[in-house]
């Protein structure tokens, strides 16, 4: 059995933090988990030591990420329940192959695979539409795709609706940081917020308004093939039991209008 270090927060304090983050009362959590409010209170204040099964049950209903579930178990004096493998390891070959197949199949749509901190894991060739003209230092590993998008030496000068797109990305990042309780994401948000939202590409750089029936807000990008209007969709692995797999996401850029679709498909051999 692993023992928590004395200076680290107790498992009860950590669980209380996650419950409060999710804006649930002890009664709310008790009703979801079929555990008495009294017992949840005792766990949170340290009067009762939860079993590993109880920790995982509460974590499941609090939607705690797998990485942090392992930390909860360690804080409770138990071994981690979820493995963590490098994507290049033999045990991850099926996942790596699936990623490669998805990326290849998405072409000519630009697509990237990112980890929990938005660092680039893989990409298809179509992503070259975005990297043309980017400062080489921003393409040196590890590449953070949000920094690449909003940095003045990155994609930002070619994003025609930069204020709008920046606001969208920062809102998404803020919600992710809050949900994951991840300080690194908070730091990234602060860094990106400091970048200028002024594009040098003329009057189209102003924040745009969209009709009420607009389903998604596109990024308008001045690419080597002309102006593209693109929106993103995110794909994640279902029911992951490995920390690395649970933190991977595939971001795909889809055309938002017929002209953009034609420009992208024209590149298909």
């Amino acid at each position: 059995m692993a023992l928590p270090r004395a200076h680290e927060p107790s498992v009860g304090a950590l669980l209380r933090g996650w419950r409060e983050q999710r804006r649930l009362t002890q009664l709310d959590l008790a009703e979801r988990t079929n555990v008495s409010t009294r017992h949840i209170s005792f766990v949170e204040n340290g009067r009762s030591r939860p079993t590993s099964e109880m920790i995982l049950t509460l974590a499941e209903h609090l939607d705690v990420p797998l990485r942090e579930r392992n930390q909860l178990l360690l804080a409770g004096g138990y071994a981690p329940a979820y493995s963590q493998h490098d994507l290049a390891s033999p045990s991850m070959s099926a996942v790596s192959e699936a990623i490669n197949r998805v990326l290849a199949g998405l072409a000519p749509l630009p697509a990237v695979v990112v980890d929990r901190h938005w660092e680039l894991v893989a990409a298809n060739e179509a992503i070259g539409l975005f990297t043309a003209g980017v400062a080489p230092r921003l393409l040196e590993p590890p590449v953070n795709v949000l920094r690449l998008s909003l940095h003045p030496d990155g994609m930002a000068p070619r994003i025609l609706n930069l204020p709008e797109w920046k606001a969208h990305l920062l809102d998404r990042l803020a919600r992710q940081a809050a949900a994951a309780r991840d300080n690194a994401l908070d730091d990234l948000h602060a860094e990106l917020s400091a970048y200028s939202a002024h594009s040098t590409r003329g009057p189209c750089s102003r924040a745009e308004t969209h009709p009420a029936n607009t389903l998604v807000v596109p990024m308008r990008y001045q690419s080597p093939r002309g102006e593209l209007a693109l929106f993103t969709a995110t794909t994640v692995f279902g029911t992951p039991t490995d920390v690395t797999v649970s933190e991977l996401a595939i971001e795909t850029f889809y055309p938002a209008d017929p002209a953009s679709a034609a420009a992208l498909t024209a590149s298909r051999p």
Side-chain angles (χ1 to χ4, degrees):
M1 177 185 298
L3 295 176
R5 298 176 183 175
H7 65 276
E8 293 180 342
S10 68
V11 64
L14 292 173
L15 285 167
R16 181 175 63 251
W18 281 106
R19 177 180 59 77
E20 292 172 346
Q21 179 69 40
R22 300 300 186 242
R23 299 184 178 182
L24 296 174
T25 66
Q26 291 181 345
L27 179 59
D28 293 331
L29 184 57
E31 291 177 344
R32 293 186 179 194
T33 59
N34 199 29
V35 176
S36 72
T37 305
R38 178 185 176 88
H39 187 52
I40 290 177
S41 176
F42 278 16
V43 167
E44 290 187 354
N45 63 31
R47 295 179 63 183
S48 176
R49 180 174 181 269
T51 64
S52 59
E53 291 79 8
M54 174 63 69
I55 292 172
L56 291 175
T57 295
L58 296 176
E60 173 72 23
H61 287 275
L62 290 171
D63 195 25
V64 177
L66 298 194
R67 180 183 297 272
E68 282 67 33
R69 294 186 198 187
N70 279 345
Q71 293 302 315
L72 288 172
L73 288 167
L74 287 170
Y78 304 102
Y82 301 96
S83 63
Q84 182 175 356
H85 296 94
D86 187 274
L87 198 57
S89 68
S91 61
M92 297 282 275
S93 59
V95 173
S96 297
E97 182 179 353
I99 288 174
N100 291 335
R101 286 180 178 272
V102 170
L103 289 176
L106 286 169
L109 303 179
V112 296
V113 180
V114 296
D115 65 14
R116 66 186 177 124
H117 291 146
W118 289 89
E119 290 190 352
L120 183 67
V121 174
N124 62 13
E125 292 184 1
I127 208 66
L129 286 171
F130 297 149
T131 57
V134 167
R137 73 178 187 280
L138 294 175
L139 298 176
E140 295 176 0
V143 177
N144 185 282
V145 299
L146 294 187
R147 182 180 296 115
L148 180 67
S149 299
L150 298 180
H151 195 285
D153 295 328
M155 294 168 53
R158 287 166 290 281
I159 299 177
L160 303 177
N161 59 335
L162 181 59
E164 179 183 50
W165 190 248
K166 178 182 178 181
H168 162 69
L169 291 184
L170 289 180
D171 177 68
R172 182 176 177 184
L173 180 59
R175 286 186 281 108
Q176 179 187 352
R181 301 177 66 195
D182 191 322
N183 291 334
L185 293 177
D186 289 328
D187 292 342
L188 179 61
H189 187 279
E191 175 193 340
L192 301 183
S193 297
Y195 292 158
S196 172
H198 175 69
S199 173
T200 60
R201 293 285 170 165
C204 290
S205 65
R206 66 184 182 275
E208 298 181 357
T209 58
H210 297 274
N213 62 351
T214 298
L215 299 180
V216 292
V217 176
M219 174 182 71
R220 300 194 177 277
Y221 193 73
Q222 190 63 49
S223 78
R225 297 198 186 99
E227 182 178 335
L228 300 174
L230 305 168
F231 66 90
T232 61
T234 304
T235 304
V236 296
F237 285 88
T239 61
T241 58
D242 181 272
V243 172
T244 300
V245 177
S246 73
E247 295 173 347
L248 294 177
I250 302 174
E251 293 285 324
T252 308
F253 290 81
Y254 289 90
D257 56 38
S260 299
L264 289 175
T265 57
S267 65
R268 186 183 293 274

